[in-house]
Amino acid sequence: MIGRPSFVTDTDLVWVPAQTTTLGSDAHYPEEGPAREVTVDGFWIQRHQVTNAQFADFVEATGYRTVAERPVDPADYPGAPAENLVPGSMVFRRTAGPVDLRHLSQWWTWTPGACWNHPRGPRSSLTDRDRHPVVHIAFEDAAAYAAWAGLSLPSEAQWETAARGGLPGATYTWGADPEKPGERRANYWHGEFPYLPESGYGTTQPVGSFEPNGYGLFDMAGNVWEWTTDWYAEDRTTGPCCVADSYDPAQPQFRIGRKVIKGGSFLCADSYCMRYRPAARRPQMVDTGMSHIGFRCVGN
């Protein structure tokens, strides 16, 4: 651990043993398949998602500015309204009532001034949120923190193997069966999405608020999505691809690579996005953080 910050200790990292296991799923969303056997070397991974307090230590030590805090180059966003070409990030806002779930713009708002230490906008702060996972983190931000800490970001295979907690083929991080009424297995959306969460849900929670998986890892389901190093492809047949092959075909004007994010978040509702499972995966443009995207690191 020489050269790492003082908070990165042996107790912060959990060993995941080498193994051959089945990753992916053929039973849920198409991008998760095909399920296949993968051999993964043993590795260390952080027990918790990186917190606001840990990221603040990084910023204080280095003076780092996240992507959400930097000036925006209009050339990167052709056709974008001028009022959006300012530093900021995407913030989740509850709706007033039921909405058409096909239109994400009803609950996501581009918010100037939103960033890791102003998570809801320029007037918000991190008061009483030191142990919440840091959010509004673009891929570059997560990689910079990992390098400073003497760590790195996980591959998709590493992340998913760790999330399964030694339960090959299990649908959830805790086993084969969904959460039962009255259980608190993970911080995903409980209630009517996106307007009426049950008490204790609908936002991030301090890391470690729910029981760990079989490897002793917390929040591998829900709370916030986590970055991996893999470029996104529409399914798992090709494995990691080049940056150009990860571009969003639905937005050809944006030549921005997309990485795989894993784990789901506090916004994953069974009625809309049942992606708080180890096999689940989503693409995320590398230059874009949101109020439900964070990360954790693996040991080098």
Side-chain angles (χ1 to χ4, degrees):
M1 304 293 178
I2 294 174
R4 292 181 184 169
S6 59
F7 58 75
V8 180
T9 67
D10 289 336
T11 59
D12 295 313
L13 297 172
V14 171
W15 177 251
V16 177
Q19 58 193 278
T20 298
T21 189
T22 299
L23 302 183
S25 171
D26 297 317
H28 297 94
Y29 298 106
E31 70 271 8
E32 298 173 21
R36 79 276 189 230
E37 278 198 346
V38 174
T39 298
V40 179
D41 293 335
F43 61 96
W44 295 93
I45 186 169
Q46 285 185 297
R47 190 179 302 274
H48 301 105
Q49 295 160 338
V50 173
T51 66
N52 287 317
Q54 290 173 319
F55 200 80
D57 286 342
F58 162 58
V59 170
E60 182 177 2
T62 65
Y64 184 84
R65 296 178 71 197
T66 61
V67 171
E69 298 171 274
R70 302 174 196 167
V72 178
D73 184 351
D76 292 336
Y77 303 94
E83 62 270 21
N84 287 355
L85 296 175
V86 296
S89 190
M90 297 294 289
V91 174
F92 168 72
R93 309 283 187 192
R94 296 181 195 172
T95 60
V99 295
D100 186 339
L101 297 181
R102 293 174 297 177
H103 302 293
L104 283 67
S105 60
Q106 295 177 100
W107 59 87
W108 283 110
T109 303
W110 172 256
T111 305
C115 60
W116 75 274
N117 58 350
H118 300 289
R120 298 179 189 85
R123 295 185 180 180
S124 65
S125 73
L126 298 181
T127 301
D128 298 324
R129 298 179 69 86
D130 280 357
R131 285 192 55 76
H132 284 244
V134 66
V135 294
H136 296 297
I137 298 297
F139 181 80
E140 180 182 337
D141 305 328
Y145 174 95
W148 172 74
L151 303 170
S152 57
L153 297 178
S155 67
E156 181 176 13
Q158 286 177 319
W159 194 98
E160 186 170 332
T161 299
R164 291 183 179 278
L167 299 175
T171 300
Y172 303 96
T173 60
W174 57 83
D177 298 322
E179 188 183 80
K180 295 180 176 63
E183 290 183 335
R184 285 177 54 87
R185 294 286 195 176
N187 185 24
Y188 61 95
W189 191 278
H190 294 62
E192 300 299 324
F193 183 82
Y195 64 97
L196 188 62
E198 294 179 8
S199 178
Y201 296 96
T203 185
T204 60
Q205 295 295 330
V207 297
S209 295
F210 296 79
E211 290 296 312
N213 71 2
Y215 288 142
L217 300 169
F218 293 87
D219 300 309
M220 298 302 283
N223 218 12
V224 296
W225 287 95
E226 301 181 26
W227 287 104
T228 75
T229 57
D230 286 49
W231 295 113
Y232 181 79
E234 296 300 325
D235 59 36
R236 303 203 191 209
T237 56
T238 58
C241 61
C242 64
V243 58
D245 287 343
S246 75
Y247 293 157
D248 185 353
Q251 297 181 298
Q253 71 274 32
F254 296 129
R255 311 293 284 176
I256 300 168
R258 298 182 297 168
K259 294 279 189 179
V260 174
I261 55 175
K262 300 283 285 183
S265 78
F266 67 91
L267 294 178
C268 283
D270 285 352
S271 62
Y272 166 67
C273 172
M274 203 179 77
R275 290 188 168 90
Y276 55 92
R277 297 170 291 101
R281 60 204 300 267
R282 292 294 295 158
Q284 181 68 20
M285 289 185 176
V286 295
D287 67 340
T288 306
M290 302 174 77
S291 56
H292 69 337
I293 298 178
F295 68 106
R296 78 179 73 209
C297 305
V298 295
N300 293 324

